[in-house]
């Protein structure tokens, strides 16, 4: 990672002086094979032990999370309808397509039903494979049909066990990334322990199983591990090609399984751009990674029937802009410090302008509006203007899209993760600034990545990549709580790597004049071991208590509702209501919906806003006309919305609707609801 080296200049006199030494080296040749053999055996033993530990810790984490899920819901004992209700909000919608594929007479008919779906949105036929990232449900349903396991394993267990199995891959990938950075598998073990002990902040898979992020993040972790290895200098051609293949496959699978993939990879592209501009990364390798990102997205675009949201993504526009700007500025990395700094700022400005220009052109050509709600939300979130927009305010009022709560750092500090992370981050950031300044000051531009002049500090490309990665994703998590899972898992990797890195300890000990090779060895092994012992001592009893705590799923009202719908309504009936509840209606009853939680479509957002007028200050006749325009037969009104207490005044759903409708601009009067069945004879909630 970080090292302080001295490059010796070879002089003519030194060459002549070396000849006597060559005779001495000949005498030692007989001793070298035994030393090399022992080192090779030790390396093989270390790889075997480290690999075995990685697999074991991954499997144990998977079993641990699956057990928590079972203990929390008593999943094996509750009814099928209760199991399906436990997949709340959009989780239920995604699982419904897995169920739909299994219920289809053939795979071909199942595909046809997804491509020409007329039940997810009433009075519309939509292509679900184009609109949503549900290829994983399709693949899993086909796999369940093919494998001879129907007699032994229920479909729902096959589904959830696959997700928990991916968590084993996720933890193993984090383990390997930390191992690659530090050079010891002890670092990977510490990263895995930190991941588990900080489970509340690193994953939510045990209670949101079908969420897209639970499918995607394991592949993202594999991609980061592969990139970390790829950025190592002096790779063999075969190793480099195989690593590029691993990066491509993991990037493709990550992109295919999550609709927000483009925004995560845009952050990754910014990391590459920063390192490439500061000469901390080989330009050729950065180009390969840019190309893999574009190729993966375009391939996903084809599989999703040319989804316009992918074509109009900022990522594609940004990567193309980088390529164009490179061609226009060929001598970016030459000249004096001020010259290079000026070129760099011009390059940055050019890429930014080209990105915005290309993105606007593409969106106008495609008439793309699918992602406009995200930019409205960002504009309102960062105070770039007040908004009455319903969609933006809906996100702003959700805790998950707010700032990261301060108590998160308290939990991370209890496990010593946050302290270790800040310690490692402060050292590597300092080194990064020194290296960046040195690179920009190198007027001869003779320094190559991975080499240093006499007395300078070096930052390895793979370390620099992970450093900027953790910083950018840290800012993302701090601004949007829902994205903390990207940061906290990598925080475990980065902190554990630093504590096990010989370069970190060498730099620290030299700065306090205590440098000694033995001290470095002692520190890089003793500190992680002591932290592991502390984690076991403090958190093992709590984890055992957690595993022994038995609870049961209990939601009789929703169960009664689903049973009533199945028993008392036609199969073709159309239901309107909140996005979250309708996803359960789709899964449990198979009825047609007016709207649903997958919000990445402009026409669906308009439809949802229209359906939600049942909770707004609107005349019954107007609301009835809106609902009938979508073919609605039944409306589900929820007390939890009518008498909402979860959000503060002004953020309740009825308040947001009134603001968007211009009925309650100042919120000067308190608005209440009587609830369904207690007011007007027509059954609508009364607003006073």
């Amino acid at each position: 990672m970080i090292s302080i080296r001295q490059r010796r200049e070879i002089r003519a006199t030194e060459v002549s002086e070396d000849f006597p030494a060559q005779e001495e080296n000949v005498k030692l040749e007989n001793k070298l094979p035994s030393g090399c053999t022992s080192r090779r055996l030790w390396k093989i033993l270390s790889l075997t032990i480290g690999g075995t530990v990685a697999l074991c810790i991954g499997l144990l984490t998977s079993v641990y999370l699956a057990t928590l899920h079972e203990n929390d819901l008593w999943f094996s004992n509750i009814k099928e309808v209760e199991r399906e209700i436990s997949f709340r909000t959009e989780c239920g919608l995604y699982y419904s397509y897995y169920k739909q594929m299994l219920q289809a007479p053939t795979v071909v008919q199942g595909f046809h039903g997804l491509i020409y779906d007329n039940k997810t949105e009433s009075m519309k036929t939509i292509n679900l494979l184009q609109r949503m990232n549900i290829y994983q449900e399709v693949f899993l349903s086909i796999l369940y049909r093919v494998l001879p396991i129907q007699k032994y394993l229920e479909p729902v267990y096959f589904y959830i066990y696959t997700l928990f199995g991916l968590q084993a891959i996720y933890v193993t990938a984090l383990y390997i990334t930390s191992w690659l950075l530090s050079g010891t598998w002890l670092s990977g073990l510490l990263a895995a322990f930190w991941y588990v002990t900080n489970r509340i902040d690193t994953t939510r898979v045990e209670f949101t199983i079908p969420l897209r992020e639970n499918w995607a993040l394991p592949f993202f972790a594999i991609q980061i591990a592969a990139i970390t290895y790829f950025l190592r200098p002096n790779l063999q051609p075969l190793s480099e090609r195989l690593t590029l293949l691993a990066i491509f496959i993991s990037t493709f699978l990550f992109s295919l399984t999550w609709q927000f993939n483009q925004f995560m990879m845009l952050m990754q592209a910014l990391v590459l751009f920063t390192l490439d501009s500061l000469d901390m990364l080989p330009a050729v390798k950065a180009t390969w990674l840019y190309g893999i990102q574009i190729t993966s997205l375009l391939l996903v675009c084809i599989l999703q029937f040319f989804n316009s949201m992918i074509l109009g993504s900022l990522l594609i526009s940004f990567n193309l802009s980088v390529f164009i700007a490179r061609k226009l500025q060929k001598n970016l990395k030459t000249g004096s410090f001020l010259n290079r700094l000026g070129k760099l700022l011009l390059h940055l400005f050019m890429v930014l302008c080209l990105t915005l220009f290309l993105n606007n052109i593409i969106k106008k050509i495609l008439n793309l509006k699918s992602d406009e709600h995200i930019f409205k939300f960002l504009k309102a979130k960062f105070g770039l203007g007040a908004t009455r927009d319903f969609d933006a305010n809906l996100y702003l009022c959700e805790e998950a899209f707010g700032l990261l709560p301060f108590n998160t750092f308290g939990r991370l500090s209890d496990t010593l993760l946050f302290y270790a992370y800040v310690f490692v981050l402060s050292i590597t950031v300092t080194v990064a600034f020194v290296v960046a300044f040195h690179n920009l000051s190198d007027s001869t531009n003779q320094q190559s990545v991975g080499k240093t002049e006499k007395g300078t500090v070096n930052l390895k490309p793979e370390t620099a990549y992970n450093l900027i990665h953790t910083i950018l994703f840290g800012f993302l998590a701090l601004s949007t709580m829902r994205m903390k899972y990207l940061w906290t898992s990598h925080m475990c990797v980065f902190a554990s790597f630093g504590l096990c890195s010989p370069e970190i300890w060498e730099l620290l000990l030299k700065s306090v004049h205590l440098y000694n090779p033995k001290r470095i060895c002692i520190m890089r092994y003793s500190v992680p071991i002591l932290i592991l012992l502390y984690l076991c001592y403090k958190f093992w009893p709590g984890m055992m208590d957690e595993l022994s705590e038995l609870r049961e799923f209990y939601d009789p009202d929703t169960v009664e509702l689903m049973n009533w719908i199945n028993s008392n309504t036609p199969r073709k009936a159309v239901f309107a209501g909140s996005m979250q509840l309708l996803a359960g209606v789709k899964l449990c009853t198979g009825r047609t919906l007016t709207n649903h939680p997958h919000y990445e479509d402009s026409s669906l957002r308009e439809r949802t806003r229209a359906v939600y007028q049942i909770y707004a200050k609107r005349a019954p006749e107007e609301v009835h006309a809106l609902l009938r325009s979508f073919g609605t037969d039944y409306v589900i009104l929820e007390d939890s919305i009518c008498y909402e207490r979860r959000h503060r005044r002004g953020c309740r759903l009825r308040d947001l609707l009134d603001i968007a409708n211009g009925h309650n601009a100042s919120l000067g009067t308190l608005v209440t609801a009587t609830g369904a069945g207690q007011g007007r004879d027509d059954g609508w909630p009364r607003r006073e």
Side-chain angles (χ1 to χ4, degrees):
M1 198 279 308
I2 303 166
S3 60
I4 299 176
R5 304 180 185 174
Q6 291 185 345
R7 183 187 296 177
R8 296 184 60 204
E9 296 181 4
I10 301 177
R11 302 170 185 169
T13 55
E14 289 179 356
V15 174
S16 61
E17 290 172 0
D18 283 344
F19 280 109
Q22 290 178 6
E23 298 178 4
E24 192 173 333
N25 289 338
V26 171
K27 298 177 182 179
L28 296 174
E29 282 182 356
N30 294 330
K31 298 181 181 180
L32 288 176
S34 60
C36 292
T37 302
S38 61
R39 284 197 299 270
R40 191 178 296 112
L41 288 174
W42 174 252
K43 186 177 180 180
I44 293 173
L45 180 63
S46 177
L47 286 172
T48 302
I49 295 174
T52 304
V53 172
L55 293 175
C56 290
I57 201 74
L59 289 173
L60 287 173
T61 303
S62 175
V63 172
Y64 171 63
L65 294 172
T67 305
L68 289 178
H69 174 260
E70 168 64 25
N71 291 354
D72 191 49
L73 300 177
W74 203 5
F75 201 75
S76 60
N77 193 65
I78 57 179
K79 300 176 182 178
E80 185 67 20
V81 65
E82 292 176 311
R83 291 176 180 173
E84 293 178 348
I85 291 171
S86 70
F87 297 138
R88 297 186 181 277
T89 65
E90 59 184 298
C91 300
L93 183 70
Y94 296 130
Y95 182 78
S96 71
Y97 300 122
Y98 169 73
K99 180 180 177 181
Q100 180 178 325
M101 280 291 294
L102 289 177
Q103 290 178 343
T106 64
V107 172
V108 175
Q109 287 177 293
F111 262 109
H112 187 273
L114 295 179
I115 296 173
Y116 300 98
D117 179 270
N118 54 14
K119 285 194 170 185
T120 302
E121 294 178 18
S122 59
M123 304 185 73
K124 284 183 68 175
T125 298
I126 61 174
N127 185 344
L128 292 169
L129 294 178
Q130 180 189 49
R131 181 81 71 80
M132 304 181 191
N133 298 69
I134 57 170
Y135 269 102
Q136 49 267 51
E137 276 74 25
V138 173
F139 173 75
L140 217 58
S141 63
I142 295 174
L143 198 61
Y144 185 79
R145 284 173 176 266
V146 172
L147 296 176
I149 56 175
Q150 289 87 349
K151 294 182 180 179
Y152 314 105
L153 196 64
E154 297 176 56
V156 66
Y157 278 107
F158 183 65
Y159 187 91
I160 66 172
Y161 286 167
T162 300
L163 267 299
F164 287 126
L166 281 177
Q167 283 296 302
I169 295 175
Y170 189 19
V171 173
T172 303
L174 297 177
Y175 180 108
I176 291 173
T177 303
S178 188
W179 185 359
L180 288 172
L181 288 170
S182 66
T184 172
W185 57 263
L186 181 63
S187 172
L189 182 62
L190 180 58
F193 264 68
W194 262 331
Y195 179 87
V196 174
T197 53
N198 292 281
R199 174 181 55 83
I200 295 175
D201 297 299
T202 55
T203 183
R204 51 178 176 168
V205 65
E206 73 271 19
F207 57 90
T208 59
I209 295 176
L211 269 190
R212 303 300 83 179
E213 67 185 52
N214 295 329
W215 285 96
L217 291 184
F219 299 119
F220 192 54
I222 294 172
Q223 185 219 39
I224 292 173
I227 290 175
T228 300
Y229 184 75
F230 174 69
L231 295 180
R232 285 184 163 189
N234 304 321
L235 282 182
Q236 296 296 324
L238 179 60
S239 298
E240 191 170 77
R241 286 194 291 268
L242 291 175
T243 307
L244 282 171
L245 179 62
I247 294 172
F248 171 72
I249 293 173
S250 56
T251 304
F252 167 70
L253 292 175
F254 170 69
S255 304
L256 188 66
T257 51
W258 198 12
Q259 69 268 30
F260 294 131
N261 59 76
Q262 52 181 289
F263 302 105
M264 302 306 105
M265 288 200 294
L266 177 61
M267 302 286 285
Q268 196 173 60
L270 289 172
V271 175
L272 298 174
F273 176 75
T274 302
L275 296 176
D276 184 25
S277 299
L278 296 175
D279 207 17
M280 294 183 181
L281 191 70
V284 175
K285 292 191 175 184
T287 302
W288 271 108
L289 296 175
Y290 285 135
I292 285 175
Q293 284 189 334
I294 294 177
T295 306
S296 300
L297 267 189
L298 291 179
L299 184 56
V300 171
C301 182
I302 293 171
L303 287 175
Q304 288 193 282
F305 297 83
F306 297 95
N307 187 321
S308 59
M309 188 174 175
I310 296 176
L311 292 174
S313 67
L314 276 173
L315 175 66
I316 289 181
S317 301
F318 177 80
N319 286 1
L320 292 176
S321 299
V322 171
F323 289 144
I324 295 171
R326 273 184 176 181
K327 292 293 182 182
L328 297 175
Q329 282 185 293
K330 294 183 179 180
N331 298 322
L332 181 64
K333 299 180 180 180
T334 58
S336 63
F337 175 77
L338 292 177
N339 195 348
R340 288 192 65 176
L341 186 60
K343 288 180 180 180
L344 181 59
L345 293 175
L346 179 61
H347 184 66
L348 177 62
F349 180 74
M350 186 182 299
V351 169
L352 179 62
C353 291
L354 278 172
T355 300
L356 296 177
F357 174 74
L358 288 176
N359 194 250
N360 284 328
I361 291 295
I362 293 172
K363 286 185 175 180
K364 285 182 179 179
I365 293 173
L366 299 176
N367 192 27
L368 178 62
K369 297 181 179 179
S370 298
D371 58 355
E372 64 179 5
H373 65 299
I374 297 174
F375 296 104
K376 287 180 181 178
F377 160 69
L378 292 174
K379 181 180 176 182
K381 183 177 181 66
F382 294 110
L384 300 178
T387 179
R388 300 170 66 93
D389 184 77
F390 174 76
D391 301 319
N393 286 329
L394 193 64
Y395 280 109
L396 284 172
C397 286
E398 285 297 325
E399 184 181 357
F401 293 94
L403 299 176
L404 188 67
F406 189 74
N407 59 10
T408 304
F409 301 105
R411 291 192 298 270
L412 296 175
S413 299
D414 286 342
T415 62
L416 304 182
L417 172 60
F418 186 67
Y419 299 128
Y421 178 75
V422 172
F423 166 73
V424 176
L425 188 66
S426 60
I427 294 176
T428 49
V429 166
T430 303
V431 172
F433 273 113
V434 172
V435 171
F437 180 79
H438 182 268
N439 289 352
L440 292 176
S441 302
D442 187 5
S443 59
T444 59
N445 198 33
Q446 292 177 348
Q447 180 179 333
S448 60
V449 177
K451 296 181 181 179
T452 59
E453 297 294 339
K454 182 177 179 179
T456 61
V457 181
N458 180 41
L459 190 67
K460 293 181 181 178
E462 61 268 32
T463 304
Y465 168 79
N466 281 276
L467 170 64
I468 308 299
H469 174 97
T470 196
I471 290 173
L472 288 186
F473 280 86
F475 282 124
L476 181 64
L478 291 171
S479 64
T480 307
M481 189 189 76
R482 187 176 179 181
M483 297 301 172
K484 71 175 179 178
Y485 303 102
L486 289 161
W487 183 44
T488 50
S489 57
H490 194 265
M491 186 188 290
C492 300
V493 170
F494 199 76
S496 59
F497 132 73
L499 294 183
C500 296
S501 169
E503 292 88 359
I504 288 279
W505 289 112
E506 179 182 351
L507 194 63
L508 185 66
L509 291 175
K510 282 188 174 181
S511 65
V512 294
H513 307 289
L514 292 173
Y515 173 74
N516 185 295
K518 290 184 178 180
R519 287 198 184 106
I520 292 176
C521 186
I522 291 172
M523 295 301 291
R524 72 181 294 227
Y525 289 113
S526 63
V527 172
I529 290 173
L530 288 173
I531 293 176
L532 285 170
L533 292 174
Y534 167 79
L535 294 176
C536 291
Y537 172 77
K538 184 171 182 180
F539 294 98
W540 182 261
M543 291 172 65
M544 292 300 100
D545 291 341
E546 195 176 29
L547 288 173
S548 62
E549 186 178 354
L550 303 178
R551 288 177 292 215
E552 181 180 357
F553 176 84
Y554 184 74
D555 191 354
D557 294 338
T558 308
V559 171
E560 184 182 0
L561 172 65
M562 300 305 170
N563 290 334
W564 184 90
I565 292 173
N566 277 320
S567 304
N568 297 280
T569 64
R571 291 288 301 173
K572 294 184 178 181
V574 178
F575 279 79
S578 69
M579 296 182 290
Q580 294 80 3
L581 185 58
L582 287 185
V585 171
K586 172 76 170 61
L587 171 59
C588 299
T589 70
R591 301 305 192 263
T592 305
L593 312 179
T594 56
N595 55 303
H596 54 82
H598 195 270
Y599 220 50
E600 278 66 56
D601 182 76
S602 57
S603 62
L604 175 65
R605 292 195 294 270
E606 293 174 3
R607 178 183 282 232
T608 299
R609 188 161 56 250
V611 170
Y612 277 5
Q613 297 303 314
I614 58 179
Y615 297 109
K617 283 182 178 178
R618 297 289 292 271
E621 296 79 12
E622 295 178 12
V623 178
H624 183 267
L626 283 171
L627 294 174
R628 290 306 300 165
S629 67
F630 304 129
T632 307
D633 297 312
Y634 295 87
V635 179
I636 303 175
L637 295 172
E638 300 172 57
D639 286 342
S640 60
I641 297 178
C642 292
Y643 301 104
E644 189 172 1
R645 296 291 183 269
R646 186 167 65 95
H647 291 108
R648 65 186 184 277
R649 185 169 175 267
C651 264
R652 298 169 299 188
L653 179 60
R654 56 187 188 269
D655 296 337
L656 299 180
L657 290 164
D658 290 342
I659 292 171
N661 294 338
H663 294 158
N664 203 2
S666 63
L667 289 175
T669 57
L670 181 63
V671 181
T672 59
T674 60
Q678 295 183 22
R680 301 179 183 176
D681 294 335
D682 55 21
W684 303 109
R686 184 174 69 220
R687 305 292 298 276
E688 297 177 348

